[in-house]
Amino acid sequence: MGYEAKKIEKKWQEIWKNNKEFEPKEDYTLPKKYILSMFPYPSGRLHMGHVRNYSIGDACARFYRQQGFNVLHPIGFDSFGMPAENAAIKHKIHPRIWTYENIDYMLGEMDLLGLSFSKERVLATSDPLYTKWEQEFFIKMYERGLVYQKSAIVNWCEHDQTVLANEQVEDGCCWRCGNTVIQREMPGYYLKITDYADELLEGLKELSGHWPQQVLTMQENWIGKSNGLEFKFNLSEQSCSALKLEENSELCSFSVFTTRPDTIYGVSYIALSPEHSILRRALEVGLIDEATAEKIKKIQNQSPKERQASAKDGAFLNLYATHPLTGENVPIWFANFVLADYGSGAIMAVPAHDERDYEFAKAFGLEIKPVVAPEVGEASEFYGEYGVAINSPLINGLKTEAAKEKIISEFERLKIGKRVTNYKLRDWGISRQRYWGAPIPMVHCPHCGLVPESVENLPVALPDDVEITGEGNPLDKHPSWKECKCPKCGSDAVRETDTMDTFFQSNWYYARYASDPKTWESVALDKKSMQYWLGVDRYIGGIEHAILHLLYSRFFHKVARDMGYVPGNEPFLNLLTQGMVLKDGAKMSKSKGNTVDPDEIINKYGADTARLFILFAAPPQKELEWNDSAVEGAFRFLNRLYDRASVITPTKILPQIEHASLSKEEKYARLKVYEALKKANEVYSETFAFNTLIAACMEALNALGAQQNADVSTEGFWVLLNLLEPIVPHIACELSEELFGRANFGKLELKSEVFEKDSLNLAITINGKKRAEFEVASNLSEDEIISQAKIVASKWLEAKEIIKQIYVKNKLVNFVIKG
Ligand code: ANZ
Ligand code: ZN
C-alpha cells in the first residue's frame, strides 16, 4: 500500500493528543529548552507565514525533545485589537464571539499541521484572567512611577478612531488600515520606557551574536542615543520687546541641543520647530503675517514622517538671538525639519556642516560659514565630516573631538550650557479609544483625583452589552459601565475608558506561558517556573516586529526583573527572524489576492508535505517563493521514503556494522547518512538552514537505494527517520513504528570510522620545513608510511644523513637531517 498522508497524520495526531506528548515535564532538574514562535492574531485562518513560523519552531522543539531536553513549546493568541471590532461593525457579530470562534478554528488548523504545542498553556490575551494580571502589572508600574498621564500631540487615525504609537505610523499612514494619520492633542497614559533607554541600549551588547545584526541595529537607531551640548540663546532686547515680554521673562531665552558644539562659530541662523513656545508667542502677539501663520498651521498638521519627506520649508520670524560667544545677532526662523519633541525643539543651524541646515540655507539664501576644514585637502561648500576647526577663535586648529570638548567645558565654565545625552526613544503612549482591549484600571475621583483600582477588584472586565458602530469609544458611550466607587474614599467616581495598546499584552506573554498553569489562577508568574524556563532559548518570528514588540518585551522584562518577578536581563536569548512568503515575487497577502491556503495544501498532500516544502524551499531567514512544482517534489520525496521503507525488514535491534568490511557503495551510503546527522547538529545549533539538512537527507536516501546491504539500509533508515521526525513528524513516526516498533536505540552518535578516508594526505617536512605532500593508503603501518615518504622525499634527502624520522599520525612525516 502506498503513502496515505491523511490516514497517517490523523493517527499520529490522536496518539500525541492522548499521550499528552508535548506537555513540558515538571521535573525542573532536567536541562530545558524554551522554544517560542510569535503568537498569531486570531484573524480567522492560518496563512503561509504562520505555517512557516511554526514549522521552524516545531522542528526545533521536536529536535530538542529527541535530545532529551525538557521542552516548553507553547502557543496562544494575541486576541485583543481592532479587526475584531471591524468584524463586529461589518458582520454584526460580537468581538468576543468572533475572536473565540477564530481561535477554535485556528487551533484546529494547528493540530492538522501536527505542531507539537503544549495544550495546557494555550491562552488568549483577551481572557479575563490574563487581563487581571496585566492590570495588576499596570498598577504596580503606576506605583513605581513608570506610568503617567499627559496631554500630548498624538498620531490619530480617523478611520480606526484611535491613537497610534509612532511605531505604528508607516509613511504617514496607519499600520493597520493604511489611512492617513493626523496630529491631534489628546490626553493619554504613558509608560516611562525612557527610564530604561540606556539599559535597553546596553543590553543589545548581550544579544550580539544571538540576534540578527539587522534587528540590533534597528533597535539601536530607534533608541538613538546622542551626546552633545545644550545651551541657551538669549533673544535680542528688541526681539524681547517685540514679543511684549518682560526682560527677565522665561521666554526671553531658549535652549538648543547640538552634537557638534565645535561648529558654534558657524551658526548663521536659528531654527525653531513649528510647535515652539516662542513661535506660539509671536503668533499670539500678532508678530507673524498671515501667509506665514498659514504655513505654520499646515505643517503642524503633518506627522513627523510627512515633514521629513517634504522639501525644507519655513519662514523668518523677524526675531533675533544673541550668539553666546561672538555677541552677533542671529536671525530666528521656523523650519519644518526641526522636531518639536527632540532635544529642545530648536537648533543652532550650521549650514556649512549640517546637511539639513545646508538644504534650508540654500532654499532661503542664508549665509554659509565654513568652520571645519578637512585634515588634508580642501572642503567644498558643504562639509559634513570631522576635521580641524577654522574661523573659530577659541578652538582654531583643534581636531573635531578636542574642539567639541573644549567648547563644552568652556560653556560649562561660563555656566551657559551643559553636557547632555539625548535619546530618540519616546515614552510609550498606550491609550487607545477602543472597546476590544484591556481596560486601563484607573478611576477618576472628584476628591482623590486619579486612583488605581483596588487589586481585589481586578479584572476590570469589559461589558458585553456594547454597541459598536465605529464611532467614538463604546466604553465611553456605555450607559453605566464607567460608573464606579473610588477605591480610596468610596465616593462616586468614573472609570477610565481608554484601553491598552495591544502591544502591552504581547510584551509579557512569553513569561506567562512559562508559568505553571496550575498556578495561573493564583499568581501572574510563579517564581520557580520563571527561574527554570526563562529566558526563551529560541524565539522565532517576523522581522516586522524588530522594533515595537521586541523593544516593549525587553522593557517589560527589565521592569519585571526589578519587581522581582523574573531572572536575567533579557527575555529572548536567541532570535531568528524568518523571511516573508512570496508568490510571484510579491508578499502573499489577502489584499493582493495571491495567497495559498494552508488547509488546501494539507488536504491535497498532507501536513508533512507542507512542512517539508516550507523548510526545504529556502533558509528560514530568507524570503520564500511559493512554488507548486516544489510542493509536488516534496510530496514525491515522502512517497519515495515510504516506498523504500517497505523493503526493510522490521527489527528491534540496531545492526552492528563493521565499517572496514563494507564495499565502496556501502561505505558511501553510510557516509551520506552520517553526513546528514552531522548537518543536523550544525543546523539546530547555528545556521537553521533546514534546507541543507533536508538536502543531505535526500542524498542519503538515494545513496541507501544504490546499495544492497540490509544492515546498512536498516541503520540508515533509523538515522534518517530520526533526522526527519522534527520536520515531517507523522510519516517519520509511522515508519519508525513499522520498522523499529518506535524502539529507542539510544542517542544518535556520529561514527568516526564512517568519516575516515581510504587514503591520507600527508605532508613531508625536513627539519620542520614543509617540502611536499603525498597520498598514502590509510591502512598502512607507520613503517610502511615512512618508507613511502622516503621515496617521495628522496630528492631532498639525497646523500644526507637522517638523524631522526617522525610520523605525526594523519598529518606529516618529518625528517631531521644533518647539514
Ligand atoms: C549643530 C550642528 C552642526 C549639528 C553640524 C549637526 C551637525 P542626533 O545625532 O540625531 O542627535 N537637532 C537638534 N535638535 C533637533 C530637533 N529638535 N530637530 C531636528 N534636528 C535637531 O542629531 C543632533 C543634531 O540634530 C544636533 O546637532 C542638531 O544639529 C540637530 F555640523 O547642531 B546639530
Ligand atoms: Zn476618592
Side-chain angles (χ1 to χ4, degrees), residues 693-704:
L693 170 59
I694 294 166
C697 289
M698 290 175 168
E699 273 188 51
L701 186 67
N702 286 340
L704 285 174

Side-chain angles (χ1 to χ4, degrees), residues 86-125:
N86 296 339
I89 298 164
K90 216 166 140 190
H91 307 299
K92 300 262 172 275
I93 178 171
H94 194 279
R96 187 187 312 283
I97 294 173
W98 183 84
T99 300
Y100 284 87
E101 279 180 3
N102 286 348
I103 288 176
D104 278 346
Y105 187 80
M106 290 166 82
L107 282 172
E109 290 182 294
M110 290 173 183
D111 283 342
L112 287 178
L113 277 166
L115 299 169
S116 66
F117 292 129
S118 156
K119 299 247 178 233
E120 286 169 6
R121 298 177 190 237
V122 173
L123 59 80
T125 57

Side-chain angles (χ1 to χ4, degrees), residues 224 226 257-260 263 337-350 353-354 356-357 422 424:
S226 36
F257 169 66
T258 177
T259 48
R260 292 293 304 272
T263 61
F337 68 92
V338 183
L339 305 167
D341 64 350
Y342 186 64
S344 348
I347 63 162
M348 63 175 225
V350 185
H353 306 292
D354 179 284
R356 294 157 300 177
D357 301 350
N422 272 321
K424 296 257 154 50

Side-chain angles (χ1 to χ4, degrees), residues 443-449 451 485-493:
V443 169
H444 302 270
C445 168
H447 310 293
C448 313
V451 186
K485 298 284 175 212
C486 168
K488 215 165 167 183
C489 73
S491 350
D492 288 343

